[in-house]
């Protein structure tokens, strides 16, 4: 069978938010790209992911011309509630650091990006198979793949980008990489349910039975999570058992009422920290989950992916259009300095709110004191607010 040969400036493996946003930013800068993705458009759309955008992620979507739908359909959140000892404490982001976050699920970010690429004539190929990357240390690296009709393709580029998620296959081409792992003795049980919102902002709760997070999607659909064992099976959790567990974790003297409804999605979410270093090898650059994963507490994953590609697009613009290749040497350091801050913050927020199997009475009192130290201090609360809404780039 003959292979179809093609050429572009930047070949992007992965059509999630990182790959599509990069392709969009490059297009705005006048640089061509081709995106390939093993999943179909519908499969990506149907995968539930996190829902919180930092201030600069919202700005990037709007100011780069992807879409301003986030401003109309998203919800601005001016804070979060930290709940412990059965009482909620508002962390007022606006009052503390003059910033907000936006509740706008990753699925919507993906839909906006996919629509913007289609609108601008972008070349995005979904449902490809048998992807390989070749010759990454030469000046004509390539992507080989077969399309949904079984036709084989070879696309040669100036630069390749691996934005192919946490199970990245492009990452293995980074010779001599150092990998950092953080493990946690818990996971999250996530549900989607048909219920009205229980609160105006997200509630991050520490209880003696473990962590719980009450998030939102729409006026009639809510997203909630609770700490569970990594070995937990969704089949062991009936609706009744889930509601009784969530109700006990949220219960308190303030009479907070958690709204219940039919649960239509249940899953156990993995929990780990990972950083790959460097995230460039030859003419291959990694971005987003392919390069790093953070624990979900604080919803930094998507925001980090968008921050990576904002930096990468700027450096590629300098390298491709202004022939300044040295710019690309700064990518690993610039992107990973933010990633490590996010690793620190996500781990901190996780340990602040989760209970450890076998914790001593001392551990429990120390954790409650740490929570008080955050909510009782303007400086403590401002640290949380600044990290949660996103450090300036
Ligand atoms: C959501 C997920 C998170 O990990 C988080 O910290 C906040 C919100 C969500 O899916 O809505």
């Amino acid at each position: 069978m003959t292979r179809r040969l093609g050429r572009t400036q930047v070949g992007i493996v992965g059509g999630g938010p990182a790959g599509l946003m990069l392709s969009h930013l490059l297009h705005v800068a006048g640089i061509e790209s081709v995106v390939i993705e093993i999943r179909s458009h519908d499969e990506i759309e149907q995968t539930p992911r996190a829902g919180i955008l930092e201030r600069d992620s919202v700005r990037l979507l709007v100011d780069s011309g992807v879409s301003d739908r986030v401003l109309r359909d998203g919800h601005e959140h001016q804070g979060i509630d930290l709940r412990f000892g059965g009482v909620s404490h508002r962390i007022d982001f606006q009052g503390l650091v003059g910033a907000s976050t936006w509740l706008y699920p990753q699925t919507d970010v993906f839909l906006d990006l996919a629509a913007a690429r289609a609108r601008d004539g972008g070349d995005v190929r979904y449902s490809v198979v048998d992807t390989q990357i070749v010759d990454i240390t030469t000046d004509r690296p390539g992507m080989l793949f077969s399309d949904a009709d079984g036709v084989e393709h070879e696309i040669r580029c100036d630069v390749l980008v691996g934005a192919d998620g946490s199970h990245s296959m492009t990452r293995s081409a980074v010779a001599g990489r150092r990998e950092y792992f953080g493990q946690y003795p818990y996971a999250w049980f996530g549900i989607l349910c048909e219920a009205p919102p229980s609160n105006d902002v997200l509630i991050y709760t520490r209880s003696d039975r473990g962590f719980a997070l009450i998030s939102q999607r729409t006026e009639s659909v809510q997203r909630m999570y609770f700490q569970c064992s990594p070995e937990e099976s969704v089949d062991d959790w009936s609706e009744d058992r889930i509601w009784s567990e969530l109700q006990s974790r949220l219960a308190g003297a303030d009479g907070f009422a958690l709204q219940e409804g039919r649960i239509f999605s249940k899953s156990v979410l993995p929990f780990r920290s990972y950083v790959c270093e460097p995230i460039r090898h030859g003419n291959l650059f990694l971005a987003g989950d392919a390069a790093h994963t953070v624990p979900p507490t604080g919803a930094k994953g998507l925001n980090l992916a968008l921050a990576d590609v904002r930096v990468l697009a700027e450096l590629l613009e300098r390298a491709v259009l202004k022939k300044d290749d040295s710019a690309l040497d700064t990518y690993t350091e610039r992107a990973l300095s933010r990633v490590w801050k996010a690793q620190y913050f996500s781990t901190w927020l996780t340990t602040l709110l989760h209970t450890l199997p076998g914790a001593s009475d001392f551990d429990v009192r120390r954790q409650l004191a740490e929570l008080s130290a955050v909510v009782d201090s303007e400086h403590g609360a401002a640290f949380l607010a600044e990290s949660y809404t996103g450090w300036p780039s």
Side-chain angles (χ1 to χ4, degrees):
M1 190 194 274
T2 53
R3 193 181 262 173
R4 290 208 192 147
L5 302 181
R7 190 153 171 98
T8 189
Q9 286 171 296
V10 180
I12 303 175
V13 181
L20 292 180
M21 178 56 99
L22 179 64
S23 178
H24 170 76
L25 294 173
L26 292 174
H27 164 76
V28 171
I31 299 171
E32 271 180 19
S33 63
V34 174
V35 180
I36 60 170
E37 166 60 53
I38 55 173
R39 293 166 299 172
S40 68
H41 178 287
D42 292 354
E43 230 177 304
I44 305 179
E45 182 183 346
Q46 280 150 25
T47 313
R49 301 295 296 265
I52 291 291
L53 294 181
E54 292 176 357
R55 172 189 45 192
D56 284 359
S57 298
V58 172
R59 282 190 186 148
L60 185 65
L61 282 170
V62 176
D63 295 351
S64 73
V66 173
S67 167
D68 61 2
R69 194 164 70 91
V70 54
L71 302 178
R72 285 176 279 117
D73 295 354
H75 295 273
E76 181 181 0
H77 282 193
Q78 302 198 343
I80 53 169
D81 280 344
L82 272 194
R83 187 170 172 84
F84 57 98
V87 178
S88 290
H89 304 261
R90 180 64 50 102
I91 306 292
D92 171 15
F93 297 158
Q94 274 297 337
L96 290 159
V97 294
S100 294
T101 52
W102 291 74
L103 180 85
Y104 193 64
Q106 177 165 331
T107 302
D108 290 286
V109 175
F110 165 74
L111 289 174
D112 290 348
L113 284 164
R117 288 288 51 223
R119 173 194 73 201
D120 297 339
D123 189 345
V124 182
R125 322 229 183 142
Y126 297 99
S127 305
V128 307
V129 291
D130 299 332
T131 308
Q132 284 179 53
I133 54 169
V134 293
D135 302 334
I136 60 166
T137 53
T138 72
D139 57 7
R140 51 188 294 280
M143 315 190 281
L144 311 185
F145 58 95
S146 296
D147 66 24
D149 300 322
V151 179
E152 291 182 17
H153 295 263
E154 171 176 336
I155 299 183
R156 292 285 166 173
C157 347
D158 298 328
V159 163
L160 270 179
V161 176
D164 51 341
S166 57
H167 301 291
S168 173
M169 73 90 186
T170 57
R171 180 164 70 213
S172 56
V174 179
R177 68 191 179 280
R178 179 154 186 201
E179 299 187 294
Y180 300 84
F181 294 95
Q183 307 286 351
Y184 303 84
Y186 27 70
W188 278 7
F189 197 106
I191 63 159
L192 282 163
C193 65
E194 284 168 6
S198 298
N199 201 37
D200 56 338
V201 294
L202 269 55
I203 311 172
Y204 286 81
T205 310
R206 184 243 171 246
S207 84
D208 290 338
R209 299 181 64 87
F211 169 77
L213 169 60
I214 308 304
S215 183
Q216 305 162 357
R217 286 295 176 266
T218 64
E219 282 309 303
S220 53
V221 172
Q222 310 309 319
R223 180 79 165 139
M224 301 179 194
Y225 304 92
F226 59 92
Q227 175 186 348
C228 67
S229 147
E231 281 82 44
E232 204 66 70
S233 157
V234 290
D235 299 330
D236 292 340
W237 287 82
S238 65
E239 282 209 12
D240 283 352
R241 184 171 175 214
I242 291 172
W243 286 123
S244 129
E245 189 61 45
L246 279 167
Q247 292 290 7
S248 2
R249 294 191 192 193
L250 270 297
D254 62 358
F256 170 77
L258 180 65
Q259 306 290 323
E260 300 183 8
R262 188 180 73 85
I263 295 171
F264 61 90
S265 165
K266 300 191 269 191
S267 53
V268 173
L269 303 158
F271 218 100
R272 72 166 189 171
S273 285
Y274 170 76
V275 181
C276 176
E277 187 186 51
I279 51 175
R280 173 209 187 165
H281 182 59
N283 278 317
L284 170 70
F285 296 80
L286 303 179
D289 283 359
H292 42 76
T293 31
V294 288
T297 328
K300 287 285 175 228
L302 170 61
N303 293 292
L304 284 178
L306 295 177
D308 281 356
V309 298
R310 189 174 47 205
V311 171
L312 188 54
E314 177 201 315
L315 300 177
L316 285 172
E317 192 180 341
R318 271 161 57 191
V320 175
L321 300 180
K322 300 183 187 128
K323 306 279 175 237
D324 173 16
D325 266 4
S326 65
L328 295 172
D329 295 337
T330 64
Y331 176 57
T332 290
E333 201 194 311
R334 275 188 61 185
L336 290 192
S337 66
R338 186 183 191 89
V339 166
W340 277 113
K341 264 192 205 169
Q343 288 290 5
Y344 163 60
F345 172 68
S346 307
T347 308
W348 172 72
L349 194 59
T350 299
T351 53
L352 183 67
L353 293 161
H354 288 65
T355 50
L356 273 177
S360 67
D361 291 347
F362 175 86
D363 297 332
V364 171
R365 294 301 288 266
R366 191 212 58 78
Q367 187 184 39
L368 291 169
E370 187 175 0
L371 279 157
S372 298
V374 171
V375 302
D376 293 345
S377 152
E378 192 181 323
H379 301 287
F383 167 76
L384 171 49
E386 181 183 36
S387 310
Y388 195 99
T389 55
W391 309 279
S393 40

